Amino acid sequence: MDSTVTVGVIGGSGFYDLGADTSPVRVATPWGEAEAHIGDLAGVPVAFVPRHGAGHTLPPHRVEYRANLWALRCLGVAHVVASFACGSLVGEWGPGTLVVPDQLIDRTRGRADTIYDSFEEGPAHAPFADPYAPAVRAALLAAASERGEPAADGATVVVIDGPRFATRAESRLYRSWGADVINMTQYPETVLATELGLSYGAVGLVTDFDAGLEDRPDVAAVTQEAVFEEFARHLPRLRAVVLDAARGLAAG
């Protein structure tokens, strides 16, 4: 097997392993040690990072996004395929829908969202008009299509701090802004990948309708239990698409 790792996978809520044998690797970063797991996917080496840590011990605002992405780059990763759970703000995208976003709105507060704490070596303003890399988006959409999994091509993610869910008024506001899904981790992961020169894309799994649907009183507001139940139900589909996309990117 070629030992060069060029593709990294970041697993979100419920996606804590590659589903294959892996070897842990600890990487020193400017923000402390980060742990990745190197696994072999049909002859393709992939570096895996569970975003929330083993057993989901890290809430979204305590994830050390900088260390995770720095570690992947140190391992030789050029492309990052990520997964995340999200609530739908669009009535036709119910639980189980796969979404490959192309835009985001940041509503987080106080998160470390840059690797540049000084400009001693010159200004460093990352271009961010298009947060998601076209090549990784294309790989995810191709992987979904080849598996017969419908996936929404393009969506705007509004990213909130959490760990609480949104109020009905907030959900209504985000919908009016044109947001399609809501999540707690896509920022600053996206911008840090950009600053580090990593080609980053993600696929979201809809687990709920956020605060509910105003024209559907039978649709309840999201609960933690519902999110994890839906994610577990659809994890095999999500994992298959992510890993197929990772293999495709590694193959060039």
Side-chain angles (χ1 to χ4, degrees):
M1 183 183 78
D2 182 353
S3 61
T4 303
V5 179
T6 60
V7 177
V9 172
I10 297 178
S13 299
F15 191 163
Y16 305 128
D17 61 70
L18 282 178
D21 290 337
T22 59
S23 299
V25 178
R26 299 198 70 81
V27 181
T29 83
W31 305 281
E33 271 196 337
E35 184 172 280
H37 303 263
I38 309 299
D40 177 4
L41 299 178
V44 175
V46 172
F48 177 77
V49 172
R51 184 185 290 121
H52 294 281
H56 204 118
T57 55
L58 296 172
H61 64 290
R62 294 297 302 276
V63 172
E64 186 43 88
Y65 300 93
R66 296 171 299 180
N68 288 346
L69 290 159
W70 187 280
L72 289 176
R73 191 181 69 164
C74 287
L75 292 170
V77 165
H79 304 287
V80 177
V81 184
S83 72
F84 63 95
C86 55
S88 174
L89 300 172
V90 180
E92 58 268 29
W93 291 354
T97 301
L98 298 179
V99 180
V100 180
D102 59 353
Q103 283 295 325
L104 66 78
I105 299 169
D106 170 34
R107 291 289 293 168
T108 64
R109 303 179 304 279
R111 295 187 183 187
D113 61 356
T114 181
I115 63 170
Y116 299 110
D117 289 328
S118 77
F119 281 173
E120 291 179 2
E121 297 182 7
H125 300 284
F128 202 52
D130 298 298
Y132 296 94
V136 184
R137 291 191 67 252
L140 283 163
L141 290 167
S145 176
E146 288 167 10
R147 285 195 167 267
E149 293 284 1
D153 179 2
T156 296
V157 186
V158 60
V159 189
I160 64 173
D161 256 342
R164 71 165 178 86
F165 295 117
T167 67
R168 294 185 193 279
E170 288 167 337
S171 185
R172 191 181 306 122
L173 176 65
Y174 302 147
R175 192 178 298 111
S176 76
W177 287 351
D180 301 297
V181 293
I182 185 168
N183 166 261
M184 299 177 187
T185 56
Q186 280 295 281
Y187 193 88
E189 199 167 86
T190 42
V191 72
L192 293 168
T194 299
E195 288 188 340
L196 288 165
L198 301 174
S199 176
Y200 179 100
V203 56
L205 172 66
V206 173
T207 57
D208 58 89
F209 280 111
D210 197 39
L213 297 175
E214 293 185 347
D215 59 345
R216 290 277 306 279
D218 58 309
V219 176
V222 60
T223 65
Q224 174 177 295
E225 293 74 20
V227 168
F228 284 99
E229 181 180 337
E230 285 296 328
F231 204 95
R233 180 179 297 121
H234 298 286
L235 177 58
R237 298 171 52 227
L238 179 69
R239 179 187 275 129
V241 169
V242 167
L243 300 188
D244 282 0
R247 278 189 288 263
L249 288 163

mmCIF file of all heavy atoms in Angstrom, residues 77-118:
data_model
loop_
_atom_site.group_PDB
_atom_site.id
_atom_site.type_symbol
_atom_site.label_atom_id
_atom_site.label_comp_id
_atom_site.label_asym_id
_atom_site.label_seq_id
_atom_site.Cartn_x
_atom_site.Cartn_y
_atom_site.Cartn_z
ATOM 1 N N VAL A 77 -2.127 15.525 4.183
ATOM 2 C CA VAL A 77 -3.470 15.629 3.609
ATOM 3 C C VAL A 77 -3.589 16.883 2.745
ATOM 4 O O VAL A 77 -3.141 17.970 3.130
ATOM 5 C CB VAL A 77 -4.523 15.642 4.736
ATOM 6 C CG1 VAL A 77 -5.889 16.110 4.230
ATOM 7 C CG2 VAL A 77 -4.626 14.256 5.360
ATOM 8 N N ALA A 78 -4.211 16.717 1.583
ATOM 9 C CA ALA A 78 -4.499 17.840 0.683
ATOM 10 C C ALA A 78 -5.996 18.085 0.563
ATOM 11 O O ALA A 78 -6.438 19.208 0.352
ATOM 12 C CB ALA A 78 -3.902 17.585 -0.702
ATOM 13 N N HIS A 79 -6.795 17.003 0.668
ATOM 14 C CA HIS A 79 -8.249 17.094 0.544
ATOM 15 C C HIS A 79 -8.892 16.620 1.842
ATOM 16 O O HIS A 79 -8.486 15.598 2.404
ATOM 17 C CB HIS A 79 -8.766 16.221 -0.600
ATOM 18 C CG HIS A 79 -8.149 16.519 -1.927
ATOM 19 N ND1 HIS A 79 -8.443 17.648 -2.646
ATOM 20 C CD2 HIS A 79 -7.247 15.828 -2.660
ATOM 21 C CE1 HIS A 79 -7.762 17.640 -3.775
ATOM 22 N NE2 HIS A 79 -7.021 16.553 -3.807
ATOM 23 N N VAL A 80 -9.912 17.338 2.304
ATOM 24 C CA VAL A 80 -10.645 16.953 3.510
ATOM 25 C C VAL A 80 -12.112 16.746 3.157
ATOM 26 O O VAL A 80 -12.748 17.618 2.557
ATOM 27 C CB VAL A 80 -10.533 18.027 4.609
ATOM 28 C CG1 VAL A 80 -11.363 17.620 5.830
ATOM 29 C CG2 VAL A 80 -9.083 18.252 5.005
ATOM 30 N N VAL A 81 -12.620 15.574 3.533
ATOM 31 C CA VAL A 81 -14.039 15.254 3.359
ATOM 32 C C VAL A 81 -14.647 15.182 4.752
ATOM 33 O O VAL A 81 -14.218 14.362 5.575
ATOM 34 C CB VAL A 81 -14.233 13.913 2.628
ATOM 35 C CG1 VAL A 81 -15.713 13.657 2.373
ATOM 36 C CG2 VAL A 81 -13.452 13.887 1.317
ATOM 37 N N ALA A 82 -15.619 16.028 5.033
ATOM 38 C CA ALA A 82 -16.207 16.089 6.368
ATOM 39 C C ALA A 82 -17.680 15.710 6.337
ATOM 40 O O ALA A 82 -18.348 15.815 5.307
ATOM 41 C CB ALA A 82 -16.043 17.494 6.947
ATOM 42 N N SER A 83 -18.177 15.284 7.482
ATOM 43 C CA SER A 83 -19.608 15.020 7.634
ATOM 44 C C SER A 83 -20.130 15.836 8.802
ATOM 45 O O SER A 83 -19.376 16.213 9.700
ATOM 46 C CB SER A 83 -19.866 13.526 7.874
ATOM 47 O OG SER A 83 -19.447 13.151 9.176
ATOM 48 N N PHE A 84 -21.422 16.115 8.769
ATOM 49 C CA PHE A 84 -22.031 16.841 9.880
ATOM 50 C C PHE A 84 -23.520 16.561 9.933
ATOM 51 O O PHE A 84 -24.143 16.221 8.927
ATOM 52 C CB PHE A 84 -21.777 18.352 9.772
ATOM 53 C CG PHE A 84 -22.390 19.024 8.554
ATOM 54 C CD1 PHE A 84 -23.624 19.648 8.625
ATOM 55 C CD2 PHE A 84 -21.708 19.046 7.342
ATOM 56 C CE1 PHE A 84 -24.177 20.285 7.513
ATOM 57 C CE2 PHE A 84 -22.245 19.680 6.233
ATOM 58 C CZ PHE A 84 -23.489 20.295 6.310
ATOM 59 N N ALA A 85 -24.071 16.679 11.114
ATOM 60 C CA ALA A 85 -25.519 16.582 11.303
ATOM 61 C C ALA A 85 -26.112 17.977 11.179
ATOM 62 O O ALA A 85 -25.470 18.966 11.541
ATOM 63 C CB ALA A 85 -25.836 15.989 12.676
ATOM 64 N N CYS A 86 -27.330 18.061 10.674
ATOM 65 C CA CYS A 86 -27.944 19.383 10.526
ATOM 66 C C CYS A 86 -29.463 19.291 10.627
ATOM 67 O O CYS A 86 -30.059 18.242 10.411
ATOM 68 C CB CYS A 86 -27.549 20.019 9.190
ATOM 69 S SG CYS A 86 -27.905 19.035 7.725
ATOM 70 N N GLY A 87 -30.047 20.427 10.965
ATOM 71 C CA GLY A 87 -31.492 20.559 10.956
ATOM 72 C C GLY A 87 -31.925 21.224 9.664
ATOM 73 O O GLY A 87 -31.230 22.109 9.151
ATOM 74 N N SER A 88 -33.050 20.818 9.136
ATOM 75 C CA SER A 88 -33.534 21.392 7.890
ATOM 76 C C SER A 88 -34.399 22.621 8.150
ATOM 77 O O SER A 88 -35.246 22.633 9.042
ATOM 78 C CB SER A 88 -34.364 20.352 7.121
ATOM 79 O OG SER A 88 -34.947 20.932 5.974
ATOM 80 N N LEU A 89 -34.168 23.661 7.341
ATOM 81 C CA LEU A 89 -35.014 24.848 7.359
ATOM 82 C C LEU A 89 -35.893 24.885 6.112
ATOM 83 O O LEU A 89 -36.589 25.867 5.875
ATOM 84 C CB LEU A 89 -34.133 26.108 7.417
ATOM 85 C CG LEU A 89 -33.209 26.222 8.635
ATOM 86 C CD1 LEU A 89 -32.258 27.412 8.481
ATOM 87 C CD2 LEU A 89 -34.016 26.344 9.917
ATOM 88 N N VAL A 90 -35.828 23.797 5.332
ATOM 89 C CA VAL A 90 -36.565 23.682 4.072
ATOM 90 C C VAL A 90 -37.541 22.515 4.186
ATOM 91 O O VAL A 90 -37.123 21.385 4.452
ATOM 92 C CB VAL A 90 -35.592 23.439 2.893
ATOM 93 C CG1 VAL A 90 -36.354 23.329 1.584
ATOM 94 C CG2 VAL A 90 -34.557 24.548 2.825
ATOM 95 N N GLY A 91 -38.814 22.781 4.006
ATOM 96 C CA GLY A 91 -39.834 21.777 4.246
ATOM 97 C C GLY A 91 -39.652 20.477 3.496
ATOM 98 O O GLY A 91 -39.953 19.394 4.012
ATOM 99 N N GLU A 92 -39.123 20.544 2.268
ATOM 100 C CA GLU A 92 -39.004 19.326 1.464
ATOM 101 C C GLU A 92 -37.769 18.497 1.802
ATOM 102 O O GLU A 92 -37.605 17.388 1.275
ATOM 103 C CB GLU A 92 -39.005 19.651 -0.031
ATOM 104 C CG GLU A 92 -37.920 20.585 -0.502
ATOM 105 C CD GLU A 92 -38.352 22.045 -0.490
ATOM 106 O OE1 GLU A 92 -39.204 22.407 0.350
ATOM 107 O OE2 GLU A 92 -37.839 22.815 -1.335
ATOM 108 N N TRP A 93 -36.865 19.012 2.638
ATOM 109 C CA TRP A 93 -35.683 18.247 3.022
ATOM 110 C C TRP A 93 -35.901 17.683 4.418
ATOM 111 O O TRP A 93 -35.564 18.302 5.417
ATOM 112 C CB TRP A 93 -34.434 19.120 3.016
ATOM 113 C CG TRP A 93 -33.999 19.552 1.643
ATOM 114 C CD1 TRP A 93 -34.521 19.169 0.449
ATOM 115 C CD2 TRP A 93 -32.934 20.461 1.343
ATOM 116 N NE1 TRP A 93 -33.859 19.767 -0.585
ATOM 117 C CE2 TRP A 93 -32.876 20.566 -0.075
ATOM 118 C CE3 TRP A 93 -32.028 21.177 2.112
ATOM 119 C CZ2 TRP A 93 -31.944 21.381 -0.717
ATOM 120 C CZ3 TRP A 93 -31.102 21.979 1.468
ATOM 121 C CH2 TRP A 93 -31.051 22.076 0.071
ATOM 122 N N GLY A 94 -36.446 16.495 4.489
ATOM 123 C CA GLY A 94 -36.729 15.874 5.764
ATOM 124 C C GLY A 94 -35.580 15.048 6.284
ATOM 125 O O GLY A 94 -34.529 14.928 5.640
ATOM 126 N N PRO A 95 -35.742 14.450 7.477
ATOM 127 C CA PRO A 95 -34.700 13.598 8.047
ATOM 128 C C PRO A 95 -34.269 12.508 7.067
ATOM 129 O O PRO A 95 -35.099 11.890 6.393
ATOM 130 C CB PRO A 95 -35.381 13.007 9.285
ATOM 131 C CG PRO A 95 -36.357 14.070 9.701
ATOM 132 C CD PRO A 95 -36.884 14.621 8.401
ATOM 133 N N GLY A 96 -32.963 12.319 6.989
ATOM 134 C CA GLY A 96 -32.403 11.342 6.062
ATOM 135 C C GLY A 96 -31.864 11.954 4.789
ATOM 136 O O GLY A 96 -31.129 11.305 4.043
ATOM 137 N N THR A 97 -32.202 13.225 4.535
ATOM 138 C CA THR A 97 -31.717 13.900 3.330
ATOM 139 C C THR A 97 -30.219 14.168 3.445
ATOM 140 O O THR A 97 -29.730 14.614 4.485
ATOM 141 C CB THR A 97 -32.453 15.237 3.125
ATOM 142 O OG1 THR A 97 -33.854 14.994 3.017
ATOM 143 C CG2 THR A 97 -31.966 15.950 1.865
ATOM 144 N N LEU A 98 -29.489 13.897 2.370
ATOM 145 C CA LEU A 98 -28.076 14.247 2.302
ATOM 146 C C LEU A 98 -27.934 15.577 1.568
ATOM 147 O O LEU A 98 -28.579 15.805 0.551
ATOM 148 C CB LEU A 98 -27.283 13.168 1.561
ATOM 149 C CG LEU A 98 -27.271 11.778 2.195
ATOM 150 C CD1 LEU A 98 -26.459 10.815 1.339
ATOM 151 C CD2 LEU A 98 -26.707 11.832 3.616
ATOM 152 N N VAL A 99 -27.101 16.449 2.102
ATOM 153 C CA VAL A 99 -26.929 17.803 1.563
ATOM 154 C C VAL A 99 -25.441 18.091 1.385
ATOM 155 O O VAL A 99 -24.655 17.893 2.316
ATOM 156 C CB VAL A 99 -27.549 18.851 2.514
ATOM 157 C CG1 VAL A 99 -27.367 20.251 1.965
ATOM 158 C CG2 VAL A 99 -29.018 18.552 2.765
ATOM 159 N N VAL A 100 -25.055 18.551 0.203
ATOM 160 C CA VAL A 100 -23.664 18.950 -0.058
ATOM 161 C C VAL A 100 -23.662 20.467 -0.207
ATOM 162 O O VAL A 100 -23.987 20.999 -1.273
ATOM 163 C CB VAL A 100 -23.115 18.261 -1.318
ATOM 164 C CG1 VAL A 100 -21.664 18.689 -1.566
ATOM 165 C CG2 VAL A 100 -23.197 16.740 -1.186
ATOM 166 N N PRO A 101 -23.319 21.195 0.850
ATOM 167 C CA PRO A 101 -23.452 22.658 0.845
ATOM 168 C C PRO A 101 -22.403 23.352 -0.017
ATOM 169 O O PRO A 101 -21.324 22.802 -0.283
ATOM 170 C CB PRO A 101 -23.285 23.035 2.314
ATOM 171 C CG PRO A 101 -22.413 21.957 2.867
ATOM 172 C CD PRO A 101 -22.803 20.707 2.142
ATOM 173 N N ASP A 102 -22.749 24.581 -0.425
ATOM 174 C CA ASP A 102 -21.770 25.405 -1.143
ATOM 175 C C ASP A 102 -21.579 26.772 -0.497
ATOM 176 O O ASP A 102 -20.683 27.517 -0.884
ATOM 177 C CB ASP A 102 -22.154 25.567 -2.612
ATOM 178 C CG ASP A 102 -23.528 26.203 -2.806
ATOM 179 O OD1 ASP A 102 -24.256 26.397 -1.806
ATOM 180 O OD2 ASP A 102 -23.877 26.497 -3.964
ATOM 181 N N GLN A 103 -22.404 27.102 0.503
ATOM 182 C CA GLN A 103 -22.299 28.394 1.182
ATOM 183 C C GLN A 103 -22.582 28.247 2.669
ATOM 184 O O GLN A 103 -23.171 27.246 3.104
ATOM 185 C CB GLN A 103 -23.260 29.413 0.579
ATOM 186 C CG GLN A 103 -22.799 30.006 -0.740
ATOM 187 C CD GLN A 103 -21.535 30.838 -0.579
ATOM 188 O OE1 GLN A 103 -21.335 31.507 0.440
ATOM 189 N NE2 GLN A 103 -20.668 30.797 -1.580
ATOM 190 N N LEU A 104 -22.170 29.252 3.455
ATOM 191 C CA LEU A 104 -22.495 29.252 4.878
ATOM 192 C C LEU A 104 -22.662 30.671 5.397
ATOM 193 O O LEU A 104 -22.185 31.639 4.790
ATOM 194 C CB LEU A 104 -21.450 28.493 5.696
ATOM 195 C CG LEU A 104 -20.020 29.004 5.816
ATOM 196 C CD1 LEU A 104 -19.892 30.148 6.817
ATOM 197 C CD2 LEU A 104 -19.098 27.872 6.245
ATOM 198 N N ILE A 105 -23.342 30.763 6.526
ATOM 199 C CA ILE A 105 -23.492 32.009 7.275
ATOM 200 C C ILE A 105 -22.993 31.738 8.689
ATOM 201 O O ILE A 105 -23.474 30.814 9.361
ATOM 202 C CB ILE A 105 -24.963 32.468 7.334
ATOM 203 C CG1 ILE A 105 -25.514 32.730 5.928
ATOM 204 C CG2 ILE A 105 -25.112 33.716 8.214
ATOM 205 C CD1 ILE A 105 -27.026 32.934 5.892
ATOM 206 N N ASP A 106 -22.021 32.510 9.133
ATOM 207 C CA ASP A 106 -21.443 32.315 10.460
ATOM 208 C C ASP A 106 -22.208 33.120 11.499
ATOM 209 O O ASP A 106 -22.265 34.340 11.433
ATOM 210 C CB ASP A 106 -19.972 32.735 10.444
ATOM 211 C CG ASP A 106 -19.372 32.794 11.847
ATOM 212 O OD1 ASP A 106 -19.783 31.969 12.693
ATOM 213 O OD2 ASP A 106 -18.501 33.652 12.089
ATOM 214 N N ARG A 107 -22.775 32.417 12.476
ATOM 215 C CA ARG A 107 -23.445 33.076 13.608
ATOM 216 C C ARG A 107 -22.808 32.661 14.929
ATOM 217 O O ARG A 107 -23.428 32.785 15.984
ATOM 218 C CB ARG A 107 -24.936 32.718 13.600
ATOM 219 C CG ARG A 107 -25.712 33.345 12.436
ATOM 220 C CD ARG A 107 -25.865 34.841 12.609
ATOM 221 N NE ARG A 107 -26.731 35.165 13.740
ATOM 222 C CZ ARG A 107 -26.869 36.370 14.257
ATOM 223 N NH1 ARG A 107 -26.162 37.387 13.774
ATOM 224 N NH2 ARG A 107 -27.682 36.596 15.265
ATOM 225 N N THR A 108 -21.555 32.165 14.876
ATOM 226 C CA THR A 108 -20.864 31.796 16.107
ATOM 227 C C THR A 108 -20.265 33.032 16.755
ATOM 228 O O THR A 108 -20.146 34.083 16.134
ATOM 229 C CB THR A 108 -19.761 30.759 15.832
ATOM 230 O OG1 THR A 108 -18.753 31.341 14.990
ATOM 231 C CG2 THR A 108 -20.337 29.527 15.142
ATOM 232 N N ARG A 109 -19.854 32.876 18.010
ATOM 233 C CA ARG A 109 -19.284 34.004 18.753
ATOM 234 C C ARG A 109 -18.066 33.531 19.527
ATOM 235 O O ARG A 109 -18.136 32.547 20.256
ATOM 236 C CB ARG A 109 -20.307 34.574 19.751
ATOM 237 C CG ARG A 109 -21.608 35.032 19.133
ATOM 238 C CD ARG A 109 -22.566 35.568 20.192
ATOM 239 N NE ARG A 109 -22.828 34.598 21.251
ATOM 240 C CZ ARG A 109 -23.701 33.597 21.158
ATOM 241 N NH1 ARG A 109 -24.398 33.428 20.036
ATOM 242 N NH2 ARG A 109 -23.881 32.759 22.162
ATOM 243 N N GLY A 110 -16.946 34.241 19.372
ATOM 244 C CA GLY A 110 -15.789 34.003 20.213
ATOM 245 C C GLY A 110 -14.959 32.774 19.884
ATOM 246 O O GLY A 110 -14.039 32.445 20.635
ATOM 247 N N ARG A 111 -15.244 32.102 18.798
ATOM 248 C CA ARG A 111 -14.441 30.934 18.445
ATOM 249 C C ARG A 111 -13.140 31.371 17.774
ATOM 250 O O ARG A 111 -13.123 32.333 17.009
ATOM 251 C CB ARG A 111 -15.204 30.015 17.492
ATOM 252 C CG ARG A 111 -16.445 29.385 18.093
ATOM 253 C CD ARG A 111 -17.052 28.357 17.155
ATOM 254 N NE ARG A 111 -18.277 27.804 17.705
ATOM 255 C CZ ARG A 111 -18.953 26.796 17.173
ATOM 256 N NH1 ARG A 111 -18.521 26.231 16.050
ATOM 257 N NH2 ARG A 111 -20.059 26.336 17.732
ATOM 258 N N ALA A 112 -12.070 30.648 18.054
ATOM 259 C CA ALA A 112 -10.799 30.920 17.369
ATOM 260 C C ALA A 112 -10.961 30.485 15.917
ATOM 261 O O ALA A 112 -11.120 29.301 15.636
ATOM 262 C CB ALA A 112 -9.672 30.145 18.033
ATOM 263 N N ASP A 113 -10.949 31.461 15.009
ATOM 264 C CA ASP A 113 -11.272 31.127 13.622
ATOM 265 C C ASP A 113 -10.186 31.538 12.632
ATOM 266 O O ASP A 113 -10.453 31.770 11.462
ATOM 267 C CB ASP A 113 -12.611 31.734 13.212
ATOM 268 C CG ASP A 113 -12.639 33.248 13.285
ATOM 269 O OD1 ASP A 113 -11.641 33.837 13.735
ATOM 270 O OD2 ASP A 113 -13.660 33.834 12.880
ATOM 271 N N THR A 114 -8.930 31.615 13.119
ATOM 272 C CA THR A 114 -7.807 31.883 12.235
ATOM 273 C C THR A 114 -6.542 31.287 12.828
ATOM 274 O O THR A 114 -6.425 31.166 14.052
ATOM 275 C CB THR A 114 -7.607 33.391 12.005
ATOM 276 O OG1 THR A 114 -6.510 33.592 11.103
ATOM 277 C CG2 THR A 114 -7.343 34.120 13.307
ATOM 278 N N ILE A 115 -5.613 30.901 11.952
ATOM 279 C CA ILE A 115 -4.310 30.444 12.422
ATOM 280 C C ILE A 115 -3.343 31.615 12.533
ATOM 281 O O ILE A 115 -2.224 31.456 13.017
ATOM 282 C CB ILE A 115 -3.717 29.366 11.485
ATOM 283 C CG1 ILE A 115 -3.465 29.937 10.084
ATOM 284 C CG2 ILE A 115 -4.611 28.132 11.442
ATOM 285 C CD1 ILE A 115 -2.671 29.005 9.191
ATOM 286 N N TYR A 116 -3.782 32.796 12.102
ATOM 287 C CA TYR A 116 -2.911 33.976 12.090
ATOM 288 C C TYR A 116 -3.217 34.870 13.285
ATOM 289 O O TYR A 116 -4.160 35.652 13.266
ATOM 290 C CB TYR A 116 -3.093 34.754 10.787
ATOM 291 C CG TYR A 116 -2.733 33.958 9.560
ATOM 292 C CD1 TYR A 116 -3.721 33.526 8.677
ATOM 293 C CD2 TYR A 116 -1.408 33.623 9.279
ATOM 294 C CE1 TYR A 116 -3.394 32.786 7.549
ATOM 295 C CE2 TYR A 116 -1.068 32.884 8.157
ATOM 296 C CZ TYR A 116 -2.072 32.459 7.297
ATOM 297 O OH TYR A 116 -1.745 31.719 6.190
ATOM 298 N N ASP A 117 -2.400 34.749 14.321
ATOM 299 C CA ASP A 117 -2.562 35.595 15.490
ATOM 300 C C ASP A 117 -1.719 36.854 15.393
ATOM 301 O O ASP A 117 -1.775 37.722 16.271
ATOM 302 C CB ASP A 117 -2.206 34.824 16.760
ATOM 303 C CG ASP A 117 -3.247 33.766 17.079
ATOM 304 O OD1 ASP A 117 -4.432 33.985 16.772
ATOM 305 O OD2 ASP A 117 -2.875 32.710 17.622
ATOM 306 N N SER A 118 -0.896 36.938 14.349
ATOM 307 C CA SER A 118 -0.145 38.157 14.080
ATOM 308 C C SER A 118 0.144 38.208 12.584
ATOM 309 O O SER A 118 0.059 37.202 11.887
ATOM 310 C CB SER A 118 1.169 38.174 14.863
ATOM 311 O OG SER A 118 2.138 37.326 14.260
#
